[in-house]
Amino acid sequence: MTSTEPAPADTGSTLDPTTTTRRGGLTRRRALGGVAGIGVALPVLAACGGEEEAASDPAADLPAGASLTPTADVPVGGGAILSEEEVVVTQPTEGEFKAFSAVCTHQGCLVSQVSADGIVCTCHGSVFALDTGEPTDGPATEALAAVPVTVSGDEVTLA
């Protein structure tokens, strides 16, 4: 070398002439990009939360005695999903009506169907018992929140 400056120590990396930092090193652009990436990632990760975030108070805006659905719309051994109220009403046996939150306890999806097998959340395959709301299959480990109901005439109403 003809320069009077000492040669840089060989660290196994090369200089990047556009940033005057070692290639692969931390630049202001990389640091700010990383901080911005964290700001974008946190809400996305929060949306993938676990069971403790899923349940809300179903039918919280409805007063006691509010009609949910006609009894004729709830088949024996099945149920009816009331998406707007986020409630599922079931009739496990003739004349016995139960209601639960329609929000799956696994990751907060609304349950999507009711069959003889149970209340089904097709987001991740959880199945809940028609009579208790307890999980019988899938990744959910917590029961659907019970919603107290009564039958008034031919209507299922909030208790």
Side-chain angles (χ1 to χ4, degrees):
M1 296 183 90
T2 58
S3 170
T4 57
E5 293 180 21
D10 184 14
T11 61
S13 63
T14 59
L15 288 177
D16 182 345
T18 61
T19 62
T20 65
T21 63
R22 297 204 184 278
R23 201 170 286 166
L26 184 63
T27 66
R28 184 183 346 225
R29 180 176 292 165
R30 285 187 181 149
L32 291 175
V35 170
I38 290 171
V40 169
L42 287 178
V44 171
L45 291 174
C48 294
E51 296 180 23
E52 63 278 355
E53 297 176 13
S56 64
D57 188 13
D61 296 333
L62 298 174
S67 177
L68 290 176
T69 188
T71 56
D73 289 351
V74 185
V76 176
I81 298 168
L82 311 172
S83 299
E84 189 173 311
E85 295 84 357
E86 294 186 348
V87 172
V88 58
V89 179
T90 65
Q91 189 176 183
T93 60
E94 180 77 37
E96 176 190 19
F97 292 88
K98 302 282 186 164
F100 306 97
S101 169
V103 179
C104 180
T105 58
H106 175 240
Q107 288 191 347
C109 294
L110 284 183
V111 297
S112 53
Q113 64 188 43
V114 183
S115 70
D117 294 332
I119 303 163
V120 181
C121 178
T122 55
C123 284
H124 301 104
S126 292
V127 180
F128 302 88
L130 294 173
D131 58 345
T132 64
E134 290 290 328
T136 59
D137 196 12
T141 59
E142 300 291 323
L144 296 173
V147 175
V149 293
T150 60
V151 175
S152 179
D154 62 351
E155 292 286 319
V156 178
T157 61
L158 285 176

